[in-house]
Amino acid sequence: MKLGVVRRDIASLSPQEWGRVANVLQRMKQDGWFEYYANIHNREFSNIHGNDNFFPWHRRFLRDFEEVGQRYDKGFAVPYWDELRDSHNPASSVVLSSRFIGGNGFGSCVKDGVQGSWTMGFPNNHCLARSFDRGSQMQPWYGPEYIFSVMQRYNDMHNFREHIEYSLHGSVHLGMGGDMSTFWSTNDFAFWLHHANLDRLWDQWQSWGHGNTMDGRDRNGTALSLGSSLPHYGEPISTAMYVGSGRMCFQYAGGGTNKHILRTMSRVTQPLLSTAGEADAGLHALPEALRRKWFPLLESNVPAGSAPMNGTRSIQSVSRVSGKPLPYPGPLTDMWVAMHGFDRAIVSRIMAESRQFVDELNMAKYLSPY
């Protein structure tokens, strides 16, 4: 197995490490690569969204971008943005500071960060724009608890993909607005950070025994398998399935490839000011019925040194974990649903499920450390 470069949390990069990434991006911009990838994403849009090509195609697309970056710096790796950690208050993320990718454009040009005052060439000459969906703020994104629940409850690609694409994927694009809410969202480096994180979550899910899981259908309703051809690339889906193997010559910092690894939320995301144990303690303290409903894999993965929970454990035990109640995530807009050709009934069902999830954990006095 070839492990290759390591994709790291952008917030963990030193100024010198981020400077190397920024230098590559500037050179790729000068040579027209941002226009190149925006054109591909725009052209293939309906082939790669709202169907089960979503995860393997974007992994291949990310690797394509990364390989071009390695022409300028052989150590270049696309970082990921741990958006789950920032989900309660995305606009306050350090990622959106001048140190990294810059902040809000308030419906107009991004002025600071690595792409500050950039003029993009696709689909026409325009400044890179951002427009947060609540003015100076953003609606909450889908949080780590809900995504962790999705990863536990679904063992097939189709349901796993729908519950990620129609939740976290869309809420980040819509929250950022501007170029991120268009067919050419690749103009914004936030796109690459966002999809690296989605790919990281898929990689983690794969390591839980889903390494070969590829099912569902393409945009035309044709069944997909490992031998199906990726849009634009014409390569079998199997070539994009395995991180650290073949052309997918990269790995994620802190990731695991052992399918028997503990399924803990702290492997999905880690609160900045909490230990790994604190990140998972609140979920293990939930009443048994809620754990079985929303986190069915927790029962066989109680952290070492923890007493198994049972139905007699009082709800008040949850309140001993410091943190905040879960907020409702921002919904996908009708514009976004129509733009992607999503089935509104399916989107509405998933949004309703996520609100039920929030209601039930809050009623149980769960407090999130994120």
Side-chain angles (χ1 to χ4, degrees), residues 205-258:
W205 182 76
Q206 286 183 296
S207 77
W208 295 355
H210 308 302
N212 293 314
T213 302
M214 187 63 228
D215 54 69
R217 298 183 181 277
D218 66 13
R219 63 171 294 194
N220 298 315
T222 303
L224 292 174
S225 68
L226 293 174
S228 300
S229 181
L230 286 167
H232 176 72
Y233 293 103
E235 302 162 357
I237 285 177
S238 61
T239 62
M241 285 291 289
Y242 311 111
V243 167
S245 178
R247 195 161 192 167
M248 301 300 107
C249 196
F250 64 90
Q251 59 182 312
Y252 288 100
T257 57
N258 184 344

Side-chain angles (χ1 to χ4, degrees), residues 130-172:
R130 290 195 197 122
S131 183
F132 292 177
D133 63 355
R134 279 188 174 171
S136 62
Q137 299 297 316
M138 281 186 256
Q139 297 186 82
W141 294 338
Y142 287 76
E145 293 88 355
Y146 178 71
I147 298 302
F148 186 46
S149 172
V150 167
M151 293 170 71
Q152 293 201 30
R153 287 184 288 124
Y154 297 105
N155 296 316
D156 62 295
M157 171 60 81
H158 178 72
N159 276 294
F160 174 71
R161 189 271 307 169
E162 280 190 340
H163 281 76
I164 299 295
E165 186 179 6
Y166 299 168
S167 64
L168 181 63
H169 171 254
S171 67
V172 173

